[in-house]
Amino acid sequence: MVAERLARQQVLADTSKRFCLLMSETALRRRLVGPAAMGAQLARLIELSTQPHIDLAVIMFDAQERTHQYHGFAILGDPGTDDDTLVPAETLTRGLAIRGQEEVHDYLEHLQTLRETAISGDELRAQLQDLIATQCRA
């Protein structure tokens, strides 16, 4: 499991790739690990948010959302240049591997709509610093 996590971190370090990472504030506040580990994870998000090839954004609880996120998904590839773009999606009952261009486009539009209400950059880093200071004391 550790080897898999390290391999994922190496992928994020590859500056030839572009990443758009979007999550809800819930991901920042759930208590799945202790305060010290959570603080380290939030600090890692701050670090990632400074990388020019990574767009890290968070939909805060008070955001005026324009759409609902029904389930988690990823978009692997660039639908504008890659006919093999894949959208893996996890629903309650099964995992999906979506490849149809129209459906991939629908997910890309959904991602863009979700992203419009998210915070990023300095605003996000300030929120993450505040969470570390207030929520991650041992």
Side-chain angles (χ1 to χ4, degrees):
M1 200 156 86
V2 172
E4 287 179 27
R5 287 182 184 167
L6 291 173
R8 285 194 302 261
Q9 292 300 314
Q10 288 176 343
V11 170
L12 289 173
D14 184 348
T15 59
S16 71
K17 294 181 179 1
R18 185 177 160 274
F19 299 91
C20 175
L21 307 172
L22 179 64
M23 64 189 79
S24 72
E25 186 175 354
T26 302
L28 306 178
R29 293 188 178 270
R30 290 192 64 204
R31 300 295 180 159
L32 300 176
V33 296
M38 190 63 175
Q41 289 181 4
L42 295 173
R44 176 66 174 144
L45 291 177
I46 291 171
E47 179 186 333
L48 290 174
S49 75
T50 66
Q51 302 300 309
H53 67 292
I54 297 176
D55 173 24
L56 176 63
V58 174
I59 301 168
M60 302 302 288
F61 291 146
D62 62 355
Q64 185 64 48
E65 293 184 71
R66 297 179 55 215
T67 189
H68 177 71
Q69 181 171 344
Y70 301 98
H71 53 76
F73 65 93
I75 300 172
L76 306 177
D78 180 354
T81 61
D82 184 3
D83 290 337
D84 292 329
T85 299
L86 171 67
V87 177
E90 293 293 327
T91 69
L92 180 62
T93 57
R94 64 186 173 130
L96 303 171
I98 299 164
R99 296 183 185 276
Q101 287 185 350
E102 281 187 36
E103 284 183 288
V104 168
H105 181 72
D106 289 344
Y107 273 91
L108 185 59
E109 281 185 356
H110 187 62
L111 175 67
Q112 291 168 341
T113 302
L114 288 167
R115 176 65 179 87
E116 288 172 6
T117 60
I119 63 170
S120 60
D122 290 339
E123 185 178 9
L124 173 60
R125 286 186 284 278
Q127 288 284 337
L128 293 171
Q129 288 286 6
D130 184 58
L131 280 172
I132 290 170
T134 60
Q135 305 291 321
C136 297
R137 295 185 207 133

